[in-house]
Amino acid sequence: MKILFFVLSFIFSSVGYAQQILSPNKKIKVVVEMQQAGQGGSGQVHFKVLYKKGSAYIEVLPSSPLGISREDQQFISNLRLTGEGKAVAVHDKYEMVTGKRKFCENFGTEKTFRYKNPSDQPLDITFKVYNDGVAFRYSFPNSKGSSFSIIDETTAYVVPPGSERWIQPYNQAYEDFFPFSTTGTNEKNNSDWGYPALYKVNSQPLWVLISEAGISKENCAALLNNKENKNIYKVTYPSAKKNLPGGAISSLPWKSQWHVMIIGELADLVQSTLITDVSEPTAFKDTKWIEPGSAAWVYWAYNHGSKDYKKVIEYIDLAVKMHWPYVLIDWEWDVMSNGGKVEDALGYAKSKGIKTLLWYNSGTDWLGATPVDRLLTKEKREKEFSWLRSVGVSGIKVDFFAGDQQNMMKYYIDILEDAAKYHLLVNFHGATIPRGWARTYPNLMTTEAVYGAEWYNNNSILTDKAAAHNTTLPFTRNIIGSMDYTPVTFSDSQHAHITSFAHELALAVVFESGLQHFADRPSAYYNLSAGPQNFLKASLQPGMKPN
């Protein structure tokens, strides 16, 4: 048997190895193959993805490299296949509180390939091939040893030259446009690109959306970089910065995030729940207290409005008249004046049957807007969340996160876990993109991570770009999770606003968000005719679409 295993290992490493994994509906095929070792080869694992149209398979992702590096050793070249698991059917049903649909169901095929590097250390690569896409991740299965630093990946997505693509230049708040390109370049970009990344399979009515999901406290988030070749997008970990190491540090065993590709026609991409499909099930069962809905929001029209008691009261009254269940009191509520303090505003809202949401500075970035540094430690969160429940607040909006490093991923999850104990809804702003947490922590109602209507406050760029930008978002950013764009504005903020009223009204349902924050001043909604007003009232439920 040892001789047979040696011979097989030699064959696999010298002449290459390929294995196919099919989705249950046979439309998607993943081919996992080993580059030949020796004779110029590197013994590196590659994969490619094909999609069946009619009777033929079309290549939607050409052969692309896999591999990962730890600080102590690499798992990239000269790997040898030591075994593979059986193909296992995946069938999962679960229920969501927010998102595209309430009841979700998926079908897939799972298969794990086991490798060892030249130091005889193991690496597993697990693929899940679904009817609407592909997910894969790495794992170090051995359970001995102290902490290790996972520093980089050689994972890359190869797109054919000339492919049409819509990808935003990376920034830590994911607030940029998704410019159309066939070259993989952008005048503002340093070759770093943020998820999600959309491209069209050349000459075919097929599309691929690349993102990631299932991030735990043991992972950092990633981005894409095409510096070496404009048609090869390499998975890259965020750089280290003050108090935020790059990569990930963990004891063994360890699993990476899921690398996700949603594949099909545009309608397939929009309807897909693959990001939550591969994420962990809900961490708590009692979700009756979690209620999606619409909210009045003071910031857009009055930048510092939340410190003005009388303006806050106007927005509480707006929520009452429009039958919206929530009002969001934004930054500087801790210094509220002009007739009352925040406790007075909260009491007034409660007397009117309106639920309240309060803004917080995460305390991790350079911006000093208050209240700041009330959530950075567990002790501070417990104290603040206990107070919020005592005064009847329903949720929090947490802003100004510092990046995608592992420390930040842990901070996001810590906030969600602690907030759930106090039955608090959560909205992340100035934050990373959705990565499946809405399934695991259903109190995560929405995330910004979008160049939204708030930017009318900052400069004039959105004035001319809004119409095109807004028609791109349903096929890019909003596919991967709830999006707090703060839509449906009719008047001007600091800069001109020229989209039509019909366009703005449509955003209320085209943009999915567990909390839909309507941003305009009260007079803009009061001046609407009965039809549009009724459309925006409580009969509209933007937080959850029917199946």
Side-chain angles (χ1 to χ4, degrees):
M1 289 298 292
K2 288 182 179 179
I3 295 174
L4 177 61
F5 182 78
F6 175 80
V7 171
L8 289 175
S9 298
F10 176 79
I11 293 172
F12 289 154
S13 63
S14 61
V15 303
Y17 171 83
Q19 176 65 280
Q20 297 180 357
I21 315 165
L22 286 172
S23 62
N25 64 4
K26 312 300 183 189
K27 280 192 173 183
I28 298 178
K29 179 194 295 185
V30 171
V31 178
V32 181
E33 53 194 359
M34 182 77 79
Q35 270 192 351
Q36 291 183 359
Q39 300 179 353
S42 64
Q44 185 174 6
V45 184
H46 281 60
F47 79 112
K48 59 183 176 182
V49 182
L50 302 97
Y51 190 94
K52 192 172 186 180
K53 293 288 287 184
S55 58
Y57 279 99
I58 298 165
E59 189 174 72
V60 299
L61 181 79
S63 183
S64 298
L66 298 170
I68 192 166
S69 292
R70 294 199 318 236
E71 192 172 43
D72 62 318
Q73 55 193 291
Q74 59 87 11
F75 296 79
I76 301 168
S77 59
N78 297 310
L79 296 178
R80 67 182 191 277
L81 181 72
T82 60
E84 59 183 70
K86 293 182 178 180
V88 178
V90 175
H91 181 204
D92 192 16
K93 293 182 179 180
Y94 60 97
E95 188 173 336
M96 292 287 291
V97 179
T98 62
K100 300 174 186 181
R101 58 175 59 89
K102 184 175 179 64
F103 298 104
C104 300
E105 184 174 15
N106 59 65
F107 298 89
T109 305
E110 179 177 342
K111 189 176 181 69
T112 297
F113 298 89
R114 294 184 287 275
Y115 302 92
K116 284 191 175 180
N117 72 357
S119 299
D120 211 36
Q121 292 301 302
L123 169 71
D124 290 353
I125 306 178
T126 299
F127 282 87
K128 290 185 177 183
V129 184
Y130 291 90
N131 289 338
D132 60 347
V134 175
F136 63 93
R137 72 177 178 191
Y138 305 101
S139 61
F140 298 123
N142 45 357
S143 56
K144 60 182 179 179
S146 56
S147 294
F148 290 88
S149 295
I150 299 92
I151 58 174
D152 195 15
E153 294 188 25
T154 52
T155 311
Y157 302 94
V158 178
V159 300
S163 295
E164 297 177 353
R165 59 202 90 173
W166 294 258
I167 318 176
Q168 64 173 321
Y170 176 79
N171 66 66
Q172 67 183 32
Y174 293 84
E175 295 180 43
D176 212 322
F177 299 103
F178 287 80
F180 170 78
S181 171
T182 58
T183 63
T185 60
N186 182 278
E187 64 276 6
K188 298 194 316 182
N189 194 30
N190 63 354
S191 300
D192 284 339
W193 304 90
Y195 291 121
L198 176 70
Y199 72 90
K200 184 178 184 293
V201 179
N202 285 347
S203 73
Q204 298 292 336
L206 288 174
W207 307 73
V208 178
L209 187 83
I210 302 170
S211 197
E212 62 180 15
I215 286 180
S216 73
K217 295 180 184 181
E218 307 303 314
N219 309 123
C220 63
L223 58 147
L224 298 171
N225 182 281
N226 67 342
K227 180 179 180 180
E228 298 299 322
N229 185 315
K230 297 307 176 186
N231 298 306
I232 300 177
Y233 292 85
K234 177 188 173 297
V235 174
T236 304
Y237 291 167
S239 301
K241 50 198 296 192
K242 184 179 180 181
N243 299 322
L244 295 172
I249 300 173
S250 175
S251 58
L252 300 180
W254 176 85
K255 294 179 180 179
S256 76
Q257 73 279 30
W258 286 103
H259 305 66
V260 179
M261 302 174 65
I262 305 174
I263 304 167
E265 297 180 359
L266 278 179
D268 299 321
L269 270 60
V270 171
Q271 295 172 33
S272 174
T273 58
L274 197 54
I275 296 296
T276 51
D277 289 350
V278 300
S279 297
E280 291 296 313
T282 180
F284 51 89
K285 300 301 182 182
D286 176 20
T287 60
K288 293 179 181 178
W289 53 276
I290 303 173
E291 296 181 0
S294 305
W297 184 48
V298 65
Y299 173 87
W300 190 82
Y302 304 104
N303 195 332
H304 297 276
S306 287
K307 68 179 181 180
D308 187 323
Y309 174 78
K310 291 183 179 178
K311 284 187 170 63
V312 170
I313 295 303
E314 289 179 9
Y315 279 81
I316 294 171
D317 290 339
L318 171 66
V320 172
K321 293 178 181 178
M322 295 300 292
H323 302 174
W324 297 337
Y326 294 99
V327 65
L328 170 59
I329 305 175
D330 216 273
W331 69 332
E332 301 177 319
W333 55 261
D334 56 322
V335 291
M336 190 181 294
S337 60
N338 194 25
K341 300 295 185 182
V342 66
E343 291 83 0
D344 302 310
L346 297 175
Y348 181 80
K350 184 176 181 180
S351 73
K352 297 292 184 177
I354 300 300
K355 300 175 184 179
T356 48
L357 310 165
L358 290 185
W359 181 97
Y360 285 88
N361 189 329
S362 73
T364 64
D365 220 334
W366 63 91
L367 298 172
T370 64
V372 66
D373 191 17
R374 297 194 185 188
L375 307 180
L376 270 174
T377 67
K378 187 173 184 62
E379 292 73 22
K380 289 180 179 181
R381 288 192 296 273
E382 294 278 358
K383 178 181 177 181
E384 194 69 11
F385 293 169
S386 178
W387 172 73
L388 290 175
R389 290 313 299 154
S390 72
V391 294
V393 170
S394 294
I396 57 174
K397 171 183 173 181
V398 190
D399 210 340
F400 303 146
F401 288 89
D404 282 329
Q405 289 79 5
Q406 181 183 7
N407 288 22
M408 284 295 96
M409 300 300 107
K410 182 179 184 302
Y411 189 28
Y412 285 119
I413 295 171
D414 285 344
I415 290 173
L416 291 168
E417 289 177 343
D418 291 340
K421 298 175 188 175
Y422 291 88
H423 286 194
L424 291 171
L425 311 179
V426 178
N427 171 10
F428 288 137
H429 253 237
T432 195
I433 55 167
R435 300 179 190 270
W437 292 331
R439 178 182 179 186
T440 313
Y441 305 100
N443 56 323
L444 177 57
M445 307 303 289
T446 190
T447 303
E448 187 185 26
V450 66
Y451 198 101
E454 177 181 303
W455 277 89
Y456 284 111
N457 274 303
N458 302 331
N459 57 49
S460 60
I461 296 174
L462 198 57
T463 299
D464 293 322
K465 287 196 172 184
H469 176 54
N470 293 347
T471 56
T472 304
L473 291 174
F475 306 105
T476 51
R477 163 62 182 85
N478 211 182
I479 285 178
I480 62 173
S482 286
M483 181 177 75
D484 194 16
Y485 179 98
T486 59
V488 192
T489 51
F490 306 105
S491 64
D492 289 342
S493 180
Q494 274 65 50
H495 297 277
H497 179 282
I498 61 174
T499 51
S500 70
F501 278 28
H503 177 107
E504 291 298 320
L505 286 169
L507 300 184
V509 289
V510 173
F511 289 171
E512 182 273 314
S513 181
L515 291 172
Q516 195 74 287
H517 292 95
F518 294 119
D520 213 331
R521 50 185 51 82
S523 60
Y525 298 112
Y526 297 152
N527 290 335
L528 295 173
S529 60
Q533 268 200 22
N534 291 334
F535 179 74
L536 293 175
K537 286 184 177 179
S539 58
L540 179 67
Q541 296 294 334
M544 177 63 68
K545 305 296 187 294
N547 283 320

